[in-house]
């Protein structure tokens, strides 16, 4: 939920039955970029199929970050070359999911499939933000990937907001001289609630 810039990206992966990969874990706990990239490459090679989905900044600002994350998940799932029998989702339920599903809280730490999807999402988003760093020099996207680090917040204040900055987010609105946005982040009927596709999101 945290980045001030860039799209929200979801990954979807169907792994072979009883798949094991040394070091596979929640992508947020793998701090080394090279390790994540190596794992992502191996997952893509070994997976039955894999995909990712984007929800762009304009969609985040229009429907809010939570629902944009669900939209990215829908797109990742629909991008799979084969329809899964069952879908495991990291802490959420996907609307209009074509297969039975289950949301698992902290799923990226409990399910190898969700962890793999999380790594696909994270490395895909990181690669996109490296492209944004080339396009928008001076903002430091290569290092912070759009997250609200002191470096990013300083650049935002000094250089102004870019088209890829999320205008529904408070720090960006402050720079633009806009008031806060009041919006409902979660649907009241969303359950926080393990095969064999898994979908996970990188915000």
């Amino acid at each position: 939920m945290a980045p001030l810039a860039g799209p929200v990206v979801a990954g979807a992966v169907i792994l072979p039955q009883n798949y094991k990969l040394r070091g596979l874990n929640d992508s947020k706990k793998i701090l080394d970029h090279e390790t994540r990239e190596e794992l992502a490459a191996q997952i893509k090679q070994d997976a039955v199929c894999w995909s990712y989905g984007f929800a762009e900044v304009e969609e985040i600002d229009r429907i809010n970050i939570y629902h944009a994350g669900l939209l990215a998940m829908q797109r990742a799932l629909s991008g799979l070359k084969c329809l899964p029998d069952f879908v495991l989702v990291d802490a959420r339920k996907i609307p209009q999911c074509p297969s039975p599903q289950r949301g698992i809280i902290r799923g990226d730490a409990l399910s190898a499939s969700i962890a793999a999807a999380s790594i696909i999402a994270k490395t895909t988003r990181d690669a996109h933000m490296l492209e944004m760093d080339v396009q928008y020099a001076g903002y430091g996207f290569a290092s912070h990937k759009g997250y609200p680090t002191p470096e990013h917040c300083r650049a935002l204040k000094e250089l102004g907001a870019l088209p890829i900055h999320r205008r529904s987010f408070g720090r960006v609105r402050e720079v633009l001289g806009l008031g806060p946005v009041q919006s409902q982040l979660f649907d009241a009927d969303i359950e926080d609630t393990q095969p064999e596709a898994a979908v996970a999101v990188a915000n």
Side-chain angles (χ1 to χ4, degrees), residues 128-138 141-142:
H128 177 78
M129 295 310 292
L130 287 175
E131 294 175 4
M132 294 300 97
D133 184 70
V134 173
Q135 186 171 345
Y136 299 109
F141 292 123

Side-chain angles (χ1 to χ4, degrees), residues 7-11 52-55 72-73 120-122 124-125 128 200-203:
V8 57
V9 181
Y52 60 82
F54 277 52
M73 286 180 162
I120 295 296
K122 173 65 173 168
T124 300
R125 189 181 189 281
H128 177 78
V201 69
N203 297 293

